[in-house]
Amino acid sequence: QAHLVETGGGLVQAGGSLRLSCAASGINLDYYVVSWFRQAPGKEREGVSCASAAADTIFYADSVKGRFTISRDNAKNMVYLQMTSLKSEDTAVYYCAAGQIPLVGKTWLYHEYDYWGQGTQVTVSS
């Protein structure tokens, strides 16, 4: 049975950094697009970043460009989200998702993913 597990969330001051990790088991991430999404209280879930299986195609939401970096270590079956210059508006539960989806335009934002993690809370204090 496949699982995605996010870790690395926590409480950080504005301007600080965190690195989220997404560990996969039961699936080989070599064959999956992996994305990070987040959902703040009272708000809809939004896409944060996406990396193709080979990490040769990467997308970022405008709100995190220049501050967040997605990376993959397929040998370890891991995906990471390095977050810097954090702002209070980055506070949310962060989820990783894996899917065999086409990366054309904004499909990564709307396509159905095969697997989701349980989420990790990121709280940025101002």
Side-chain angles (χ1 to χ4, degrees):
Q1 191 171 359
H3 288 98
L4 299 178
V5 178
E6 304 94 336
T7 56
L11 174 64
V12 64
Q13 287 189 330
S17 300
L18 281 175
R19 188 175 86 150
L20 305 183
S21 299
C22 174
S25 61
I27 59 171
N28 184 344
L29 287 184
D30 284 359
Y31 304 107
Y32 290 86
V33 168
V34 179
S35 297
W36 287 94
F37 290 82
R38 67 186 181 186
Q39 188 164 22
K43 295 188 176 181
E44 292 189 354
R45 187 178 65 199
E46 65 171 339
V48 175
S49 183
C50 171
S52 62
D56 51 0
T57 300
I58 289 177
F59 297 102
Y60 293 100
D62 287 344
S63 58
V64 307
K65 278 181 184 175
R67 299 188 300 121
F68 290 12
T69 303
I70 190 171
S71 61
R72 308 178 57 130
D73 186 340
N74 286 353
K76 295 182 178 179
N77 232 18
M78 299 283 294
V79 179
Y80 306 97
L81 186 68
Q82 179 68 49
M83 307 186 295
T84 63
S85 302
L86 283 161
K87 306 175 182 179
S88 57
E89 51 263 44
D90 295 318
T91 295
V93 177
Y94 284 71
Y95 301 89
C96 64
Q100 294 179 319
I101 66 176
L103 287 185
V104 178
K106 295 184 178 181
T107 56
W108 70 280
L109 292 172
Y110 308 113
H111 204 282
E112 184 174 342
Y113 284 77
D114 300 300
Y115 305 103
W116 288 84
Q118 84 291 344
T120 185
Q121 176 71 47
V122 172
T123 303
V124 184
S125 63
S126 56

